[in-house]
Amino acid sequence: MTSGILAPLAARYASWLALPADQTNQVETAPELVRAMPVILRIERDPVPSRTPVLEAAAAAAIAVCLDPRAEPEGEWHEPVSAWVAGHIRKVSRRARGAHWLAVQAFPGVTVEVDGAEVRALVPGLVVETPREISRLQISGSELPADEPGPVPDGVPVLWLNPAVPLTAGKAAAQVGHASMLLAALLDEPDLKAWAEIGFRCAVRTPSREQWASLHPGDDPGGAWRDRRVIAVRDAGFTEVDPGTVTVLAQWRA
């Protein structure tokens, strides 16, 4: 396994962080060419899933699609995944339950379950070509109550949510998916293989503001990755947050 399909992410990581905030949401792609990965959160009425497992499942599902054997050069997913990674990385989180959740399973993608919470990330495609069965699923209303996930397990990376920026569960699911992809793009092959062997499991937590400040790469993303194994997800600001907001810090813990 290699992260070759994610090479465009690694190549533009530092330059993206260095952009002035007002330039992060400049759109250069025609609307009919915009690509996105649908991320479907299973949110039943009873029982309602816990927020943290949903986010952890979303993070694992997003990178699992990208590094699935079917996304490799000879695979059936390679063209849509590589075309998406080469442009702006967009994800659209939607919620489903009951028969609608079952219908989602027919579309190419990967479902991940964490502590009873399920998320299915689909192979990305053109937004204008989103199947009706997916586009009818609601984007809003995916809020979940805060929970207390407990200590971080050993041997998994941590995705730290910005403590100063409230996010809906749907928005946070997209952001932690960005984080898992960036992390995989920068890892060397042995670490990436080890992560794959545990199903790309990770922990999603909210740090104190002091922890966040100490981890933040600031103006030295290369040094933060080299010295602390930390990368930052910076949002373009199309929904919920201001352009240039750092929403997640991903920390690799060997």
Side-chain angles (χ1 to χ4, degrees), residues 36-117:
M37 170 185 277
V39 179
I40 314 303
L41 317 180
R42 185 179 188 182
I43 302 180
E44 301 286 349
R45 289 190 177 90
D46 185 25
V48 176
S50 296
R51 178 183 172 98
T52 296
V54 166
L55 299 184
E56 292 176 351
I63 190 56
V65 168
C66 297
L67 298 183
D68 189 282
R70 289 165 287 186
E72 293 178 359
E74 301 303 319
E76 61 201 86
W77 295 357
H78 180 72
E79 184 176 353
V81 173
S82 60
W84 174 62
V85 172
H88 290 285
I89 302 300
R90 292 181 173 89
K91 295 183 180 73
V92 179
S93 297
R94 299 178 183 273
R95 60 186 174 93
R97 63 170 61 102
H100 287 173
W101 170 254
L102 294 177
V104 165
Q105 308 309 306
F107 293 91
V110 176
T111 297
V112 172
E113 182 271 331
V114 174
D115 295 338

Side-chain angles (χ1 to χ4, degrees), residues 37 39-43 48-64 91 93-94 110-121 142-149 157-162 165-181 195 199-207 240 247-248:
M37 170 185 277
V39 179
I40 314 303
L41 317 180
R42 185 179 188 182
I43 302 180
V48 176
S50 296
R51 178 183 172 98
T52 296
V54 166
L55 299 184
E56 292 176 351
I63 190 56
K91 295 183 180 73
S93 297
R94 299 178 183 273
V110 176
T111 297
V112 172
E113 182 271 331
V114 174
D115 295 338
E118 292 182 277
V119 174
R120 186 169 181 82
S142 62
E143 190 45 55
L144 295 168
D147 56 0
E148 296 182 4
V158 187
L159 311 182
W160 300 101
L161 299 173
N162 190 331
V165 180
L167 300 174
T168 64
K171 179 69 171 180
Q175 298 303 297
V176 295
H178 296 343
S180 66
M181 288 177 60
W195 195 19
F200 303 108
R201 287 296 301 268
C202 58
V204 175
R205 298 291 188 271
T206 302
E240 292 195 29
T247 54
V248 183

